[in-house]
Amino acid sequence: MPAKLQEVARTVAKAEIACKIELDEDEFVDKFNPGMMEAVFAWCKGAKFVEVQKLTGSFEGTTIRTLRRLEELNRQIVCAAKSIGNHELQSKFEKGSDIVFCSSLYL
């Protein structure tokens, strides 16, 4: 894992510990898997699914499930930001909610 990414993962772990979430920092950083990041980034930039799939090394279903989970997480963050009145955060994540899925990969 690149050093900058590892540093960010460690920062997230420290923030969780500061929020009284039980967590082993080293274990968290070791479990952090950036394997789909390049593929998700390509998808968000408008790459075709075939191109995205070549970047993953995983089955198509795993890639689709990962993208759908990311989309759901994004929606939840939008709702949370709206709930707490953070309109700036809400706006940022709404811009990122344009991940679109077809009902079939064969379309």
Side-chain angles (χ1 to χ4, degrees):
M1 167 176 6
K4 180 66 177 171
L5 196 52
Q6 191 171 17
E7 180 184 324
V8 171
R10 197 163 294 283
T11 301
V12 170
K14 287 178 181 176
E16 289 189 21
I17 291 167
C19 291
K20 310 252 188 281
I21 296 174
E22 279 192 43
L23 177 77
D24 180 276
E25 184 179 327
D26 292 326
E27 186 179 324
F28 178 83
V29 172
D30 290 341
K31 285 184 176 181
F32 194 81
N33 182 358
M36 293 289 277
M37 285 177 52
E38 186 179 3
V40 169
F41 185 67
W43 180 256
C44 290
K45 289 179 66 176
K48 294 183 179 193
F49 185 78
V50 172
E51 297 164 0
V52 170
Q53 189 56 34
K54 289 178 184 175
L55 298 171
T56 67
S58 66
F59 294 110
E60 292 88 351
T62 301
T63 303
I64 291 168
R65 186 173 46 252
T66 300
L67 292 170
R68 287 191 182 274
R69 289 179 70 193
L70 180 60
E71 181 185 35
E72 178 59 28
L73 174 63
N74 192 57
R75 266 187 271 167
Q76 290 175 0
I77 292 172
V78 168
C79 288
K82 185 177 182 180
S83 297
I84 63 172
N86 189 333
H87 302 294
E88 181 182 355
L89 184 64
Q90 178 185 350
S91 176
K92 285 180 182 180
F93 277 88
E94 282 176 340
K95 288 178 187 173
S97 65
D98 295 333
I99 300 172
V100 178
F101 292 95
C102 297
S103 58
S104 169
L105 294 176
Y106 300 105
L107 294 177

